Amino acid sequence: RLNDAGMLQLESGLRALGLGWIPSKGNFIAVDFARDTAAINQALLREGVIVRPVAGYGMPNFLRVSIGTREENGRFLDALARVLGRG
């Protein structure tokens, strides 16, 4: 239940930020930024948020985000909004 609720929270937050993702039933979501994500990843790291780049898998426009607790997901979404200049 925690994972399902977290997935819904992230999907809702990503939708509000105008981002897409690959639908998932796992414990992570691959977020589509429609551009190279190296700078976004570095900016999130500076915010204290760790995500996984997947460029090595042929997906340079995606970041892999693990589903966390409600608070962790909120922290990620808040940091992402700041990094993208939307928060």
Side-chain angles (χ1 to χ4, degrees), residues 42-66:
Q42 289 302 309
L44 285 170
L45 285 172
R46 286 190 295 277
E47 291 278 336
V49 174
I50 300 171
V51 295
R52 177 162 294 176
V54 288
Y57 294 96
M59 301 169 66
N61 296 342
F62 288 80
L63 290 174
R64 180 189 186 275
V65 179
S66 295

Side-chain angles (χ1 to χ4, degrees), residues 17-36:
L17 291 170
L19 297 170
W21 60 89
I22 297 172
S24 173
K25 295 294 182 188
N27 65 343
F28 68 90
I29 190 167
V31 182
D32 184 358
F33 290 89
R35 63 180 184 210
D36 185 83

Side-chain angles (χ1 to χ4, degrees), residues 4-24:
D4 290 343
M7 183 69 75
L8 288 174
Q9 180 187 7
L10 288 181
E11 289 175 346
S12 176
L14 294 170
R15 188 175 298 109
L17 291 170
L19 297 170
W21 60 89
I22 297 172
S24 173

